[in-house]
Amino acid sequence: MSLLKLAIKSLLNRKASALLTLFTIAISVMLLMSIERVRVDAKSSFSNTISGTDLIVGARTGDIQLLLSSVFRIGHANNGVSWHSYQYITQQRGVKWAIPLSLGDSHKGLAVLGTNKDYFNHYRFGKKQPLRFASGQQFNHLFEVVLGSEVASSLNYKLGDKVVIAHGMGNTSFHNHDDNPFTVVGILEPTGTPVDKTLHIPLAAIDTIHGKSHTHEADHVKDESHEHEHEHEHEHEHEHEHDEINLVGNPKQITAFLLGFDSPLYTLQVRRNINQYKPEALLAIMPGVTLRELWEMLSIVEKILLLFSIVVVLISLLGMLTSLLSSLNQRRRELAILRSVGARPWHIFTLISVESILITGLGCLLGIVLFYGLMLLSADYLQSHAGISLNIALLSSYELMLLAAIIAAGFIVGLIPATRAYFYSLADGMSIKI
């Protein structure tokens, strides 16, 4: 009988302890692989909080500060961008689309963003995924609002509800724009990004609710009078253009704006021109590069996750070592009988080593199965609640190296009981006392 078959029969004879050890290793492998996959995909998703955008332009400040204020809604921009500069820059050669962003208002502590329709058409997150509507549609009139998924779920808003915008950020506002309530016309699907916690209104509405309503009331009335006509906007392009002008307006300044270009060459050229723009102190950043810089600042979290996963695997291997060592005293007669039928000490050594490799290898295989099952079950949740887009694909070379390291570590751990068994077989022979 080969040593492999003998090792299998020996494990089956001790199936209770062997299965317990195997499941312990499988769970630790599942945790390690899951933590590593989430860590890698979290880094990728973090870098893709905003994707498909070539430049973010705002008042001159730090790169990370501009990114945090415009994309993550963290902090406040000290200055804005004049509308004249926005129009001038967006007319430059190579600019494919532009999305103005106006921040500064809130609703129950959640950010309100004034923008245009291009926001819903060109904004991308994750791996260039577009914004999708769970219900409703884009705003088509001045006092309409589109809610992020978390805004709608946390505040129990639905289509047709009225929303009052407050001036300034924070949970406590002293100036509510009660005279200009907004009607909910759309709710976005979850993205796991700051979009979920944002209320989106037309850019022109920002000026209206800040006391410039006398210049827009006529537009609002005209907007309502053409409501029926705009239901057929795809058939009447000139009506759509008129509506878009009303929704954008002519603000004095905006917080920042996003740019997309026809070619990466235009991106670099326009970025340089913006950073050297003389009429106004502006800053243009490439969001992908700045996101990587921000992640490097948070690299300590990545290291802690890696350390945690390694500790989990070591604990499981120590559990296997404890199980093998504790069973040796019970197996001394078994080993002595093997010696009596011709087995040599190195056969005993190899047998115990094969058992440890079998337990570790089968534990890794089961751990991989559990890992993919966990990924399939948690993919949607992590995408919608944490913004982590899991890549459920074949194991990467790095993950295969981790598995190989676990199996090698299992073999090394198994050498300890194998060495003890080797010396037991030499000393005991057939004279073991029971």
Side-chain angles (χ1 to χ4, degrees), residues 403-419:
L403 289 175
I406 293 173
I407 295 175
F411 171 73
I412 294 172
V413 167
L415 293 179
I416 299 175
T419 302

Side-chain angles (χ1 to χ4, degrees), residues 37-279:
R37 183 64 65 89
V38 170
R39 181 182 67 86
V40 172
D41 288 347
K43 183 176 181 179
S44 175
S45 297
F46 184 84
S47 300
N48 293 326
T49 301
I50 178 173
S51 61
T53 295
D54 296 315
L55 288 181
I56 300 175
V57 183
R60 189 166 297 168
T61 181
D63 290 17
I64 293 178
Q65 183 179 352
L66 175 58
L67 178 74
L68 291 177
S69 62
S70 61
V71 175
F72 292 93
R73 324 283 193 252
I74 298 174
H76 304 281
N78 296 327
N79 296 303
V81 180
S82 69
W83 187 247
H84 178 270
S85 295
Y86 167 79
Q87 290 179 314
Y88 174 77
I89 293 172
T90 55
Q91 291 171 3
Q92 298 302 301
R93 182 182 179 187
V95 175
K96 187 176 182 181
W97 52 262
I99 300 174
L101 307 176
S102 183
L103 295 161
D105 291 324
S106 64
H107 175 72
K108 297 184 178 180
L110 299 169
V112 173
L113 172 66
T115 186
N116 62 2
K117 287 188 175 183
D118 283 340
Y119 179 86
F120 304 105
N121 298 328
H122 297 292
Y123 189 92
R124 297 290 184 269
F125 68 96
K127 297 175 181 178
K128 295 188 177 181
Q129 301 176 56
L131 298 177
R132 295 184 177 89
F133 282 83
S135 59
Q137 60 184 1
Q138 303 178 14
F139 46 67
N140 287 309
H141 305 290
L142 196 61
F143 290 101
E144 293 182 344
V145 58
V146 173
L147 306 180
S149 62
E150 192 166 333
V151 177
S153 61
S154 62
L155 300 179
N156 294 318
Y157 284 149
K158 58 184 183 298
L159 298 181
D161 287 349
K162 299 294 183 180
V163 175
V164 175
I165 304 301
H167 180 66
M169 302 298 292
N171 292 315
T172 303
S173 298
F174 298 98
H175 184 192
N176 292 327
H177 303 290
D178 301 296
D179 53 337
N180 293 312
F182 288 78
T183 303
V184 177
V185 296
I187 298 174
L188 297 171
E189 290 186 356
T191 64
T193 70
V195 172
D196 297 343
K197 301 178 181 181
T198 304
L199 295 86
H200 309 84
I201 64 176
L203 186 62
I206 297 292
D207 279 349
T208 303
I209 63 178
H210 286 116
K212 298 181 182 179
S213 57
H214 63 279
T215 62
H216 292 276
E217 281 179 353
D219 289 335
H220 181 49
V221 173
K222 191 182 298 183
D223 216 284
E224 291 182 341
S225 67
H226 286 82
E227 183 174 354
H228 178 71
E229 294 177 14
H230 286 312
E231 292 177 357
H232 305 284
E233 59 183 352
H234 295 293
E235 300 175 5
H236 304 281
E237 186 177 352
H238 66 282
E239 292 177 4
H240 173 78
E241 291 174 354
H242 175 70
D243 187 50
E244 182 69 19
I245 292 173
N246 288 336
L247 295 181
V248 173
N250 190 29
K252 182 178 179 181
Q253 67 175 15
I254 56 177
T255 305
F257 59 94
L258 312 180
L259 290 177
F261 293 89
D262 295 318
S263 168
L265 296 177
Y266 292 119
T267 303
L268 299 175
Q269 180 182 351
V270 174
R271 182 192 180 196
R272 183 178 64 254
N273 294 339
I274 292 174
N275 291 334
Q276 297 175 352
Y277 188 62
K278 295 186 184 297

